[in-house]
Amino acid sequence: MDTLTSAVDATSSASGTLVAVQPKPLSIAVVGLGFGRWILKQLVSPELKPFFRLAAVCDLDAAKAAQYAAEYGVPARSLDDLLADAEVPVLGLFTGPAGRAGLLRKIIRAGKDVMTTKPFERDADEGRAVLEEAISLGRIIHLNSPSPLLPPDVAQIRAWQEVHRLGAPVAAQVSTWVSYREKPDGTWLDDPELCPVAPIFRLGIYALNDIVSLFGPADEVYVMSSRLFTERPTADHAQLAVRFKSGALVTVMASFCINDGAHYRNSMTLNFVDGTVYRNVGADAKAGSLATLEVVGVREEKSQVLERLQVDGTSGAYQWESFYRAVATRTLTPADFPERVATALRVIEAMAESAKTGLPVKVRG
């Protein structure tokens, strides 16, 4: 979880002394209870109770909505009902990515702010357009990857790039894996058009968003994938190669097929002209909120570990406190955020085409 300067607001007393007061929790409804069921657990946690109050749940599956409404002691309501309710200023939108921009547009035009999730959209232009519209309307849309604020681990890598004079990034090898044995369930996860190269689109998307923030616009991609264990008609094992406009080369491996207990680590070896940064690399690396970082460079004509840190805050974590503060203070996302999101989505679009043709595909500008 990201850290605020203070977890409380400050107000002036009659004597002029600053008095700390607890923030007023924002009422939030969760829309989409497939993945959204995991978000419910976060929202009722002690850490988030000062910031958010779960007010309702919503899902097209009435039975599912009723189940989670009963479990969390809140009503199940329709989206239209929630949009008309001024007492619920914030929605968490956790439906599938295809067509999400349309739902977001409906929500922000109703005067609501939104926390949503990766992958943001299947259509890069639609994704950028709705984020730009949100800024123009004074509404706030945050998501976990890419997040409006750089995750602490990526921010630390950028700082090391400057402090240790590492030069430009030239290559990276990124990998993440888990062990799934999935069966078809009729959702978007079964559709190769809606869920192209599933391990990259669903899991490797975190790494992809990281490398785009570090390397900038991509030029060309090529992807290979396999179906080793899945019973879905989508892949479960994949590797993506990306050439960036700078000439840098990156590979992203994502798999649902590896059962070694070291899941979701999002490991990265990041090579610069004058050094290398390692994130969660090696047998001792762990998944979770802490990222283990090392930077290696040449000093006195030999390779040395220049710094080693554990950073609290990793790519893909929901920056709930920052979202709360943005809503409370009406702080809009940075002007470059829509393009940052769209840049990675254009790589996904090219990847989907490469998966169909078996050929490298240029990333449209």
Side-chain angles (χ1 to χ4, degrees), residues 280-338:
N280 292 347
V281 173
D284 293 332
K286 308 293 183 185
S289 63
L290 293 177
T292 302
L293 301 176
E294 292 181 307
V295 56
V296 175
V298 176
R299 298 293 185 270
E300 300 176 356
E301 299 184 353
K302 63 181 180 180
S303 176
Q304 297 183 20
V305 176
L306 305 179
E307 283 192 65
R308 181 182 289 112
L309 291 175
Q310 278 199 321
V311 178
D312 189 3
T314 58
S315 175
Y318 291 87
Q319 297 179 351
W320 285 110
E321 294 181 29
S322 289
F323 178 58
Y324 172 87
R325 188 56 56 93
V327 172
T329 62
R330 308 313 306 161
T331 301
L332 304 181
T333 54
D336 69 339
F337 186 55

Side-chain angles (χ1 to χ4, degrees), residues 163-227:
V163 169
H164 294 295
R165 301 185 298 278
L166 301 179
V170 295
Q173 303 84 48
V174 189
S175 58
T176 186
W177 58 79
V178 71
S179 179
Y180 292 160
R181 299 296 183 266
E182 296 183 331
K183 298 181 183 298
D185 58 6
T187 67
W188 64 276
L189 301 173
D190 290 343
D191 189 333
E193 289 293 328
L194 301 181
C195 188
V197 195
I200 303 291
F201 194 54
R202 292 170 53 188
L203 192 58
I205 190 72
Y206 300 116
L208 180 59
N209 285 323
D210 286 347
I211 63 172
V212 165
S213 70
L214 292 162
F215 287 83
D219 176 57
E220 190 173 33
V221 306
Y222 175 64
V223 70
M224 292 188 292
S225 65
S226 303
R227 293 176 64 220

Side-chain angles (χ1 to χ4, degrees), residues 56-86:
V57 295
C58 174
D59 197 279
L60 290 175
D61 184 332
K64 183 182 292 183
Q67 173 191 342
Y68 289 104
E71 181 175 339
Y72 287 90
V74 297
R77 300 173 64 181
S78 71
L79 179 58
D80 287 341
D81 187 31
L82 290 169
L83 294 182
D85 188 350

